[in-house]
Amino acid sequence: MKQFCIFLGLLSLLLLPVGCSKLPVLLNEMAGTPRQFHSRQIIVTLSENIRSQWQAINQEILDNFDVQKAGEFPLSSIKVNCLVYSVSEMVEMDEVMRRLSTDTRIELVQSNQVFPGLQAGDSRAYKSLSYGPKLIHADLVHGAVTGKGVSIAVIDTGADKEHPDLKGRVAAVHNFVDGGASFAEDRHGTAIAGVIAARANDGIGIDGIAPEARVDVYKACWYADSRSDKALCSSWTLAKAMDAAITDGSRIINLSLGGPSDELLKKLLVTANQRHIVLVAATLENSPEPGFPASLDFVIPVVSAGPNGDTVHPDWQSRQEFIAAPGLEILTTAPHDGYDFLSGSSLAAAHVSGVVALLLQQQPFLGPDRVRTVLKQTGQSKAVRKAENSPSLALVDACRALAALGAELVCP
C-alpha cells in the first residue's frame, strides 16, 4: 500500500554512548547542523487509498499547528512520500503527537530520532595487529571466495574512497546529509569499508574480509563535532539511505549503529528482509537492550570479541541470540591514506557483513534465514560466559560456514 509521510518537528533524543548519563544534545543549537538532524520533528504517514486527501490533510496541519515546511522526499521501496516540517518551540510536542494519532486518516506518528555509530574510538595497538581475518579463518578462504559480485550497502558516514586500500573497492557513493558531499574526513564509514573490503595481498595495509565484494556507501550519518569519534544518524537520513539501498538491489545492508525503536525504519527493514537482503547490525553491548535495529528477529545482531575470541554476554543475551566477531583493537583504514586501531560492535558487524558476502558468492540464492542459521551452527564456541546458565557464544567462522555450504576447504 502506497503511503505519504509528513515530518513535523519533535525533540529527538540523542542516544548517548553506553554508560554515559549526560543530558541529550539539542542539535538545533549547534551551528551548521544539517536540517535532517534538527530537533522537534515528527513523522506522519498517510496511505495511498486516501491520496486524493493528501493535500487537504497537509493544509489542515499547516493551518492547525504552528509549523513550517522544511523538506520533502520519497521512499519508493515502501511506496512512501515524506514532507518535512519544523514546529515552533512554543508548541507542546506530546500534545501534537497525541492529536495527530487520533486522526483516523493517519496511519503512523513517530519522532525523527537520532542514532549514533557504535564505535568506541581510538585504541592502543596489539602486537598481532590485524588479527580479525585470521581469528575468523577468513584468511583460509580467499583462494576460493572473495565476495566477488556481491553488493554490500554500508549505511554510515561517507568513506574515503581514494584511500589506497579502498580505491576501486568502493563502487558507488551516495549522500543524504545536507552539506555532506565531501567524504574525505569521514572516519567511521572509512573504517567499516576497510574491514569489509580492503584490498587483499597487495603488500600494503590490511586485508578485508571480502576483498572483492562491491561496496556501496550511503552517507546517512554526520559528525556534530569534528573532534568527536561519534557519528550521528537520523530517522530522516537513514530512511532515505535504506530506501536507496533496497531499490539499488543490495544483497547485504551493514548498519553499524543502534538506537531507539523506529516504526518507519522498521517498515523499510521488513521490506528489505522480504526481498532477501541480509541485514547485519551492531548491538549495544553494555545496555539492558540490544538496541534497534539489532533487536529485530530477522536482523543478525553482532557483539565484539577480542584477539582470543573472548567476549562477555550482554544482559539481554538470554532473550536474544547473537553472533560475535572481532571488534576490539581492530586495525583498519582511516582517512588520508591512514590506518588506526578502533574498537566497537560496529567493527564486529563489518566482519560479519564480509563473511556473509563470502557465503553469497558461494551460494548466490542463499536467503537471510539460511545465512543466520549457518553462521550460528558453524561458529566457534570460544567466548567467556557471563553466567553459569549462559549458552556458549558463536564466534563467526568464515571457513566452517563456507564448508557447510559445500566449499572444499580444510578448516581448523
Side-chain angles (χ1 to χ4, degrees):
M1 178 180 292
K2 189 171 182 181
Q3 296 175 315
F4 179 82
C5 270
I6 302 171
F7 275 78
L8 299 174
L10 176 70
L11 175 63
S12 297
L13 294 180
L14 168 62
L15 183 66
L16 296 164
V18 174
C20 183
S21 60
K22 296 179 181 178
L23 293 175
V25 176
L26 302 184
L27 295 179
N28 278 10
E29 298 176 358
M30 299 179 181
T33 299
R35 59 181 176 149
Q36 297 96 337
F37 296 87
H38 286 183
S39 61
R40 303 181 64 80
Q41 294 176 343
I42 296 175
I43 305 171
V44 178
T45 60
L46 304 178
S47 115
E48 167 67 16
N49 60 14
I50 59 167
R51 174 186 277 269
S52 62
Q53 301 179 51
W54 286 359
Q55 293 306 318
I57 294 172
N58 173 47
Q59 191 59 51
E60 285 180 29
I61 292 173
L62 289 172
D63 292 341
N64 296 327
F65 298 93
D66 188 3
V67 303
Q68 291 183 339
K69 186 175 180 181
E72 180 177 359
F73 62 91
L75 300 175
S76 60
S77 67
I78 56 172
K79 299 180 180 179
V80 167
N81 193 51
C82 299
L83 294 178
V84 183
Y85 296 84
S86 60
V87 176
S88 168
E89 292 187 4
M90 301 301 294
V91 175
E92 178 58 51
M93 301 309 301
D94 287 342
E95 179 62 15
V96 171
M97 292 186 72
R98 187 196 65 77
R99 288 172 58 190
L100 287 171
S101 65
T102 62
D103 189 327
T104 58
R105 300 169 299 177
I106 293 174
E107 290 194 347
L108 181 150
V109 181
Q110 71 156 79
S111 62
N112 176 33
Q113 303 177 108
V114 177
F115 299 76
L118 298 181
Q119 178 179 308
D122 297 352
S123 303
R124 292 178 295 174
Y126 274 84
K127 293 180 180 179
S128 55
L129 298 181
S130 183
Y131 68 88
K134 184 175 181 179
L135 178 64
I136 65 173
H137 302 140
D139 60 328
L140 301 179
V141 309
H142 286 164
V145 289
T146 56
K148 188 173 184 178
V150 179
S151 59
I152 304 175
V154 174
I155 297 180
D156 209 286
T157 68
D160 182 4
K161 64 178 183 177
E162 298 303 315
H163 190 287
D165 246 346
L166 295 177
K167 198 164 187 176
R169 305 303 319 117
V170 176
V173 294
H174 311 270
N175 175 48
F176 301 100
V177 177
D178 282 5
S182 175
F183 287 27
E185 303 294 332
D186 287 339
R187 300 182 298 280
H188 197 270
T190 301
I192 299 305
V195 169
I196 294 172
R199 296 176 182 279
N201 303 317
D202 60 357
I204 61 171
I206 62 172
D207 290 354
I209 303 301
E212 291 190 315
R214 174 192 168 102
V215 173
D216 295 328
V217 175
Y218 297 80
K219 184 172 182 174
C221 309
W222 158 82
Y223 290 101
D225 183 346
S226 61
R227 298 166 296 180
S228 172
D229 288 312
K230 287 292 184 182
L232 306 177
C233 328
S234 73
S235 301
W236 181 349
T237 56
L238 288 170
K240 293 184 70 175
M242 287 183 195
D243 176 65
I246 293 168
T247 56
D248 289 346
S250 302
R251 294 300 315 280
I252 303 162
I253 295 180
N254 183 91
L255 295 159
S256 292
L257 51 94
S261 180
D262 190 294
E263 285 303 311
L264 181 59
L265 298 183
K266 183 178 179 180
K267 288 179 181 290
L268 288 158
L269 291 164
V270 167
T271 298
N273 183 63
Q274 291 171 342
R275 297 190 186 183
H276 286 186
I277 299 172
V278 180
L279 303 165
V280 181
T283 60
L284 302 178
E285 298 172 302
N286 298 310
S287 173
E289 301 293 335
F292 177 90
S295 57
L296 298 175
D297 59 10
F298 54 84
V299 173
I300 300 174
V302 187
V303 300
S304 54
N308 295 319
D310 297 335
T311 188
V312 175
H313 290 278
D315 291 338
W316 44 262
Q317 193 274 335
S318 61
R319 293 178 283 113
Q320 182 172 353
E321 294 184 349
F322 57 90
I323 298 294
L328 302 178
E329 310 287 1
I330 301 299
L331 178 63
T332 187
T333 45
H336 306 300
D337 303 348
Y339 295 87
D340 205 351
F341 288 86
L342 303 174
S343 295
S345 62
S346 61
L347 285 304
H351 281 81
V352 172
S353 290
V355 172
V356 174
L358 301 177
L359 301 185
L360 292 181
Q361 182 188 352
Q362 176 73 17
Q363 286 195 13
F365 299 106
L366 208 61
D369 289 345
R370 178 62 175 152
V371 168
R372 290 194 300 274
T373 298
V374 169
L375 292 180
K376 290 175 183 176
Q377 291 180 345
T378 60
Q380 307 171 47
S381 297
K382 283 189 173 183
V384 175
R385 297 177 178 222
K386 187 166 187 179
E388 285 300 321
N389 59 355
S390 232
S392 60
L393 178 84
L395 176 71
V396 68
D397 191 309
C399 189
R400 294 180 185 180
L402 285 161
L405 296 179
E408 295 183 1
L409 296 166
V410 178
C411 305

